[in-house]
Amino acid sequence: MSIAVLAAEALTGDEVKAAAAAEGAGFAYGLAAIGPGIGIGYLVGQAVQAMARQPESAGQVQTTMFLGVAFTEALALIGFVVFILLKFA
Amino acid sequence: MTDVSNPLTQRLEGPAPVMEVAKDLIRRTALVAPVLIVIGAIFWQSAGAASVAYAIAIVMVNFLLAASLLAWAGRISFAAMGGAAMFGFLLRLGLIFLAVLLVKDAGWVEMLPLGLTLIVAHLGILFWEMRYISGTLAHPGLKPTAKLPIHTSSSESNHETTGAA
């Protein structure tokens, strides 16, 4: 049984709303971090493999990898911003 | 079975290109920062401007920390760089969370402009930098050089000057 349902039984009004917001914020941040985590792991794994195969192009691969990591991380940042808006705003 | 060299024993020699990218990202962020701060001030007054400035600082530190970690670990081994990228992701998310948590109750903080700036600045600067890097990789001959020969009409001799990046 979710926190929101439990809260609805005992509490009313603003407290239920706050509990639901807290639950939603937690899910938003947690779920939003999973996808980028998998993405960065795959990206970095492939980049390390590419650098090991062709060390002479390691600089280019590292640059591309850095941008890829930063772009993937933006997804987690979006989840984080949703979290702070739900929880703190 | 393919023959792949051991990434545990190989490392990146010489200057790290990611640090150059990070410095470029920070330079671009500093260029757009006044515009974003003014936009924040227009819609949310002084609290908005301060929140936007704080978010921009977080984005800059995040880029610099990511590049520093990759450059540092790359000098150890490629495998260490992979580990640094993964754990660095967690570390930096934690640090961003901490940075926001520390100021969430401060009077000068507005959460909406802070959050929006985090996303807009991060993505905007990355797209801007990506265009530059894609162009450099596609057309290496057009990459700006550190030293450009300039012919002056008065002396007819070659002088070298620093080229704009």
Side-chain angles (χ1 to χ4, degrees):
Chain A
M1 191 177 285
S2 73
I3 294 169
V5 175
L6 283 171
E9 290 174 357
L11 309 168
T12 54
D14 289 344
E15 288 174 329
V16 174
K17 192 178 170 187
E23 189 180 20
F27 273 119
Y29 193 20
L31 293 175
I34 293 173
I38 295 168
I40 289 175
Y42 183 76
L43 190 158
V44 170
Q46 296 295 316
V48 168
Q49 196 175 41
M51 282 186 271
R53 282 176 191 270
Q54 284 189 294
E56 67 274 9
S57 60
Q60 275 189 12
V61 174
Q62 196 189 28
T63 304
T64 314
M65 182 187 83
F66 176 65
L67 283 181
V69 167
F71 271 114
T72 314
E73 197 181 297
L75 296 172
L77 270 183
I78 291 169
F80 173 68
V81 169
V82 170
F83 167 78
I84 61 170
L85 291 181
L86 282 173
K87 194 80 178 76
F88 302 139
Chain B
M1 194 72 156
T2 53
D3 179 29
V4 180
S5 302
N6 188 2
L8 289 172
T9 57
Q10 293 185 61
R11 60 184 182 174
L12 200 66
E13 304 285 351
V18 283
M19 285 307 292
E20 296 302 317
V21 176
K23 285 176 191 168
D24 214 31
L25 284 167
I26 288 171
R27 189 176 58 83
R28 290 175 202 274
T29 312
L31 282 175
V32 297
V35 179
L36 293 175
I37 290 170
V38 167
I39 292 172
I42 289 170
F43 288 100
W44 292 277
Q45 288 75 47
S46 60
S51 302
V52 168
Y54 190 66
I56 288 170
I58 289 175
V59 169
M60 283 172 147
V61 171
N62 185 37
F63 281 140
L64 196 61
L65 197 59
S68 303
L69 273 172
L70 285 179
W72 168 73
R75 292 200 178 88
I76 299 171
S77 73
F78 289 156
M81 190 169 64
M86 279 305 297
F87 287 104
F89 167 65
L90 288 176
L91 174 76
R92 283 178 291 112
L93 270 186
L95 285 177
I96 292 172
F97 179 72
L98 194 66
V100 174
L101 199 66
L102 285 174
V103 300
K104 73 179 173 63
D105 294 323
W108 53 270
V109 167
E110 283 279 348
M111 281 299 167
L112 188 58
L114 195 149
L116 286 178
T117 308
L118 274 178
I119 296 173
V120 170
H122 189 92
L123 275 177
I125 298 299
L126 273 176
F127 272 110
W128 191 5
E129 181 68 17
M130 186 187 68
R131 280 175 59 87
Y132 172 77
I133 288 180
S134 302
T136 304
L137 291 177
H139 308 287
L142 296 177
K143 184 182 176 182
T145 54
K147 292 178 177 178
L148 298 171
I150 290 182
H151 299 276
T152 54
S153 56
S154 58
S155 62
E156 292 297 321
S157 61
N158 291 348
H159 296 281
E160 289 185 338
T161 185
T162 305

